[in-house]
Amino acid sequence: MSKILVIGATGVIGKVLVDAILNAREQFDTIGIFTSEATIKNKKDLIDSFKSRGAVIRTGDVYNDDDVLNVFEGEWPLTRHYMALWHYYDTVVSAVGRFAIDKQVDLIALAERSPTIQRFIPSEYGTDIAFDASSASEKPHQKKLKVRAYLESDAVQRLKYSYLVTGPFADLFAGYMAAEPRVGNFDLEKKEAILAGDGHGPVGMTTVSDVGRALVAVLKHPEATENKAVLVHSFVATPDELLKEYERQTGRPWTVSYTSMDELKKIEEDAWAAEHPVASIFTLRRIWAEGKTLYEKTDNEAIGLTKTDTLEMVIQANIASPQAAFQSGKL
Ligand SMILES: NC(=O)c1ccc[n+]([C@@H]2O[C@H](COP(=O)([O-])OP(=O)(O)OC[C@H]3O[C@@H](n4cnc5c(N)ncnc54)[C@H](OP(=O)(O)O)[C@@H]3O)[C@@H](O)[C@H]2O)c1
């Protein structure tokens, strides 16, 4: 049994992870959430629902060392009678967003100092940042690479870690790309698709629900996942196959166009030059189109993630709920 603390719990993937952990709550001693007063106020309904399902809510400033240590270690109860109220944690699950990735180095240093924390799962849930030699120079990977380097350095002697690598979220990949449709887009309303490359490039992807299940599996299999990247996916599919499934389920052909790899690289370069806020996403789209989500072997079986969501389910869900968060183009 373990005592799990989630940081970044109300974000795009954080709330899915917390939901999955709470669904498996009988397998954990304590499930805690460390968040800010601002989030408590702004996302009251979500926080209340986590609380009603048994999550312990701790507030503080993630940039304040004392606040962080206080939450990691909890407060010793004055007498044994109150031991059940001692909410310390042994495992940190981080799902902080792209703009706070490097902050995790400080959190890891505090976790290493904190006697109760044994395991730190940093915010990854995406592309394999060590896929091949080219990965080391990809701009979107830099902060996550620094976090990995720190976890693997001599500064960390005690903590164990696991990197959960999922490839793109299938729900998003098969959705509407508001920021720049040319990098890959499925427009359900207009029945139009723009496919990256020639549309035939396979991509290993994971639904957000399966990311949640995979995290629970990682938490439940500490030995099999200790100090390594855990590679999972729900399925492998080409953009063309996604389109065909949309056509099948909507009962009509869609209009399709393609963005060649050269065009994709140009869009990416222009976005970085213009300091576009989601230039990283364009680079990731190019990396995915290059086949860099395909592994000889995944760890699905090793962690018991054998039954996964399917391509049909993703398209069905996107058609049923086109306005859902994962369809909104927020990336
Ligand atoms: N594979 C994919 O397709 C895909 C897609 C999206 C994201 N991801 C990955 O998933 C991870 C989480 O991303 P996300 O989009 O879920 O994140 P997000 O929604 O942008 O933010 C997650 C949480 O991080 C905390 N946070 C945000 N900004 C912060 C700051 N400046 N300082 C401290 N904390 C901050 C907040 O925590 P509170 O909830 O406590 O307020 C926020 O809810 C990242 O590693 C990202 O790369 C992967």
Side-chain angles (χ1 to χ4, degrees):
M1 296 287 270
S2 43
K3 302 170 193 304
I4 316 291
L5 180 71
V6 184
I7 303 180
T10 71
V12 173
I13 196 63
K15 57 179 182 279
V16 180
L17 301 180
V18 173
D19 180 59
I21 297 170
L22 286 170
N23 282 341
R25 63 188 164 283
E26 72 287 349
Q27 301 181 51
F28 302 106
D29 287 326
T30 311
I31 300 164
I33 285 165
F34 179 28
T35 191
S36 62
E37 290 290 352
T39 292
I40 295 282
K41 206 169 128 217
N42 299 335
K43 300 184 181 175
K44 187 177 178 309
D45 291 350
L46 183 61
I47 295 289
D48 285 350
S49 83
F50 288 157
K51 206 168 160 181
S52 71
R53 294 169 65 195
V56 176
I57 313 295
R58 297 292 309 265
T59 52
D61 179 359
V62 82
Y63 291 89
N64 179 309
D65 290 3
D66 289 338
D67 282 10
V68 175
L69 286 172
N70 251 331
V71 174
F72 283 175
E73 294 167 26
E75 281 171 37
W76 280 88
L78 292 175
T79 71
R80 276 187 63 212
H81 185 64
Y82 293 106
M83 280 302 273
L85 297 178
W86 181 29
H87 291 306
Y88 70 91
Y89 296 94
D90 55 34
T91 303
V92 177
V93 171
S94 170
V96 297
R98 202 155 261 290
F99 298 105
I101 293 291
D102 44 355
K103 173 64 197 157
Q104 293 178 111
V105 168
D106 300 331
L107 294 176
I108 293 162
L110 291 169
E112 174 74 9
R113 260 176 61 191
S114 176
T116 64
I117 307 289
Q118 307 297 324
R119 200 174 180 206
F120 195 103
I121 303 193
S123 185
E124 289 244 353
Y125 324 111
T127 311
D128 184 0
I129 59 172
F131 182 83
D132 63 16
S134 70
S135 307
S137 55
E138 295 289 6
K139 288 187 189 125
H141 296 350
Q142 295 311 308
K143 288 180 179 175
K144 287 185 180 178
L145 283 169
K146 273 191 195 137
V147 172
R148 281 196 186 190
Y150 188 76
L151 273 168
E152 292 164 25
S153 74
D154 289 346
V156 175
Q157 296 286 326
R158 217 176 41 74
L159 286 182
K160 309 280 188 252
Y161 53 84
S162 308
Y163 312 132
L164 180 52
V165 173
T166 61
F169 296 163
D171 326 53
L172 287 174
F173 190 84
Y176 187 67
M177 179 61 182
E180 175 47 273
R182 291 177 299 162
V183 299
N185 191 45
F186 295 90
D187 188 333
L188 187 60
E189 211 176 292
K190 294 187 182 152
K191 310 283 182 290
E192 283 175 9
I194 306 177
L195 309 186
D198 62 5
H200 299 318
V203 179
M205 55 187 101
T206 307
T207 65
V208 291
S209 303
D210 279 341
V211 177
R213 287 181 201 109
L215 175 72
V216 170
V218 165
L219 292 171
K220 293 309 298 171
H221 291 83
E223 298 83 18
T225 60
E226 183 176 307
N227 296 352
K228 61 177 285 219
V230 180
L231 310 176
V232 298
H233 64 222
S234 298
F235 54 83
V236 176
T238 66
D240 206 36
E241 285 167 340
L242 295 177
L243 172 63
K244 288 217 166 61
E245 186 56 23
Y246 266 121
E247 291 182 327
R248 191 185 71 78
Q249 292 196 26
T250 56
R252 52 178 276 198
W254 285 33
T255 308
V256 59
S257 57
Y258 298 88
T259 302
S260 71
M261 290 306 290
D262 283 346
E263 284 173 288
L264 201 53
K265 283 179 191 157
K266 175 82 173 69
I267 293 168
E268 177 194 350
E269 276 166 28
D270 290 350
W272 282 104
E275 297 180 10
H276 193 299
V278 293
S280 294
I281 308 298
F282 305 163
T283 299
L284 293 171
R285 291 271 172 162
R286 189 255 304 149
I287 291 171
W288 302 339
E290 287 174 339
K292 294 179 180 174
T293 59
L294 306 172
Y295 323 111
E296 262 171 42
K297 195 174 182 307
T298 68
D299 293 300
N300 282 45
E301 211 165 300
I303 63 169
L305 188 73
T306 44
K307 193 171 176 302
T308 51
D309 291 338
T310 62
L311 160 62
E312 291 77 11
M313 289 162 77
V314 171
I315 305 301
Q316 199 173 21
N318 281 5
I319 290 173
S321 181
Q323 298 310 320
F326 291 104
Q327 275 280 98
S328 68
K330 181 203 171 293
L331 279 166

